[in-house]
């Protein structure tokens, strides 16, 4: 059997996790899943634009070298490419393929919705994978996921086994004593252009870029912790950039404490739901 054939056989026979989203939360979750023994594919979704790119595998979609927690992100957009990436140790497949395209390749054992789409209706993903986990708002256990994880600052990492996750309250967690004011949101729909990259120090009022021609300025002094990639399409009302006022560029790269907490909780949710399924199966077998 050829190397490609061996990779394909391995892909079809091993357990598989699919993570929806390529943002920093999705990336922290992917790292945790791979460390737990789940070959993982990340499916990119363009909404909302990823801004914390130094903390995410997102830029692997553009063939940039991205390594987080010892895991390397590698672009893959076909069955053979995905199988090849997953055959490599400490690698995650980062794909522009949609969830529908990915699940046409094979059924996933675990599906994590980590897109963090706070204000959009979330469809029912149950049945598309053996276990489905929702992160953040707009999830209802038993309606559009099997189990969920809270991402709000006050309840980060809390598991939701019944009912719904909490609605977003519009409050940003504090970073260096600064909350929502460290972000700039898009005021229109259009193409974002910027020469600025992650980690760069900028003064307040610095021209970060232009969104559909409108200038976007740094809201305060600090390092650029997040900025949408140049040429990204951004609809109205989404985050374009984030400034870290703490005075250290290293806080702009790698997983942060929040990401690690959510990732650990997600892995716990997968294990809990898996154990619950096994218990139900055993109980069912005992009544036959």
């Amino acid at each position: 059997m050829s190397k490609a054939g061996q990779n394909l056989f391995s892909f079809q026979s091993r357990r598989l996790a699919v993570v929806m989203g390529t943002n920093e939360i999705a990336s922290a979750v992917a790292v945790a899943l791979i460390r737990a023994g789940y070959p993982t594919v990340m499916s990119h979704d363009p909404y909302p634009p990823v801004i914390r790119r130094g903390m995410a595998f997102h830029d692997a979609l553009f063939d940039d070298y991205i390594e987080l927690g010892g895991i390397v992100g590698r672009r893959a957009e076909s069955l053979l490419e995905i199988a090849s990436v997953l055959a490599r140790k400490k690698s995650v497949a980062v794909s522009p393929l949609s969830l529908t395209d990915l699940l046409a390749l094979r059924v996933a054992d675990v599906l994590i919705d980590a897109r963090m789409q706070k204000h959009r209706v979330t469809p029912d993903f149950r049945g598309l994978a053996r276990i489905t986990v929702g992160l953040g708002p707009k999830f209802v256990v038993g309606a559009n996921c099997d189990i969920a994880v809270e991402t709000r600052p006050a309840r980060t990492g809390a598991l939701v086994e019944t009912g719904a996750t909490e609605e977003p309250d519009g409050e940003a967690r504090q970073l260096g004593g600064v909350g929502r004011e460290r972000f700039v949101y898009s005021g229109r729909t259009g193409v974002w252009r910027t020469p600025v990259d992650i980690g760069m120090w900028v003064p307040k009022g610095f021209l970060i870029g232009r969104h559909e021609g409108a200038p976007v300025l740094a809201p305060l002094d600090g390092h650029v912790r997040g900025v949408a990639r140049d040429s990204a399409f951004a609809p109205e009302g989404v985050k374009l950039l984030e400034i870290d006022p703490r005075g250290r560029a290293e806080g702009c790269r790698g997983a942060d404490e929040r990401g690690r907490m959510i990732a650990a909780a997600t892995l716990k949710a997968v294990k809990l739901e898996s154990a619950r399924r096994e218990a139900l199966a055993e109980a069912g077998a005992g009544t036959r």
Side-chain angles (χ1 to χ4, degrees), residues 26-173:
S27 299
V29 169
V31 169
L33 286 168
I34 291 170
R35 288 176 174 171
Y38 284 91
T40 301
V41 182
M42 303 182 73
S43 173
H44 173 57
D45 191 295
Y47 182 90
V50 175
I51 65 169
R52 292 174 182 153
R53 296 182 291 111
M55 307 164 70
F57 287 116
H58 175 75
D59 283 357
L61 291 167
F62 304 89
D63 294 320
D64 289 359
Y65 180 81
I66 307 295
E67 181 178 342
L68 297 169
I71 307 299
V72 177
R74 305 182 190 277
R75 178 185 170 92
E77 54 180 309
S78 70
L79 174 59
L80 287 178
E81 288 180 355
I82 291 171
S84 177
V85 171
L86 298 189
R88 304 175 70 165
K89 293 182 179 180
K90 298 183 178 181
S91 294
V92 58
V94 186
S95 182
L97 294 178
S98 68
L99 178 65
T100 303
D101 292 332
L102 285 175
L103 294 183
L105 303 179
R106 58 157 288 186
V107 175
D109 295 280
V110 177
L111 174 63
I112 314 291
D113 188 344
R115 295 174 297 167
M116 309 297 287
Q117 295 183 338
K118 298 180 180 179
H119 304 291
R120 287 194 167 188
V121 175
T122 302
D124 184 1
F125 292 118
R126 294 173 304 152
L128 298 182
R130 294 182 176 89
I131 296 174
T132 56
V133 184
L135 307 187
K138 303 298 179 184
F139 286 101
V140 181
V141 175
N144 60 6
C145 67
D146 295 312
I147 192 168
V149 178
E150 292 283 7
T151 61
R152 279 187 58 187
R155 299 197 63 212
T156 298
L159 298 189
V160 178
E161 299 181 58
T162 58
T165 53
E166 295 185 8
E167 289 295 308
D169 58 8
E171 295 294 326
R173 66 190 182 97

Side-chain angles (χ1 to χ4, degrees), residues 46 48-53 180 182-194 196-198 208-219 224-243:
V50 175
I51 65 169
R52 292 174 182 153
R53 296 182 291 111
R180 185 182 176 89
R182 71 178 184 273
F183 297 99
V184 175
Y185 293 77
S186 56
R188 62 192 67 201
T189 295
V191 177
W192 165 248
R193 301 309 307 264
T194 180
V196 174
D197 205 354
I198 300 296
I208 299 291
R210 295 181 182 275
H211 185 217
E212 200 62 19
V216 175
L217 309 180
V224 178
R225 187 170 189 246
V227 61
R229 191 178 176 99
D230 180 54
S231 299
F233 180 82
E236 183 179 357
V238 299
K239 295 173 182 174
L240 290 175
L241 69 100
E242 176 188 15
I243 302 297

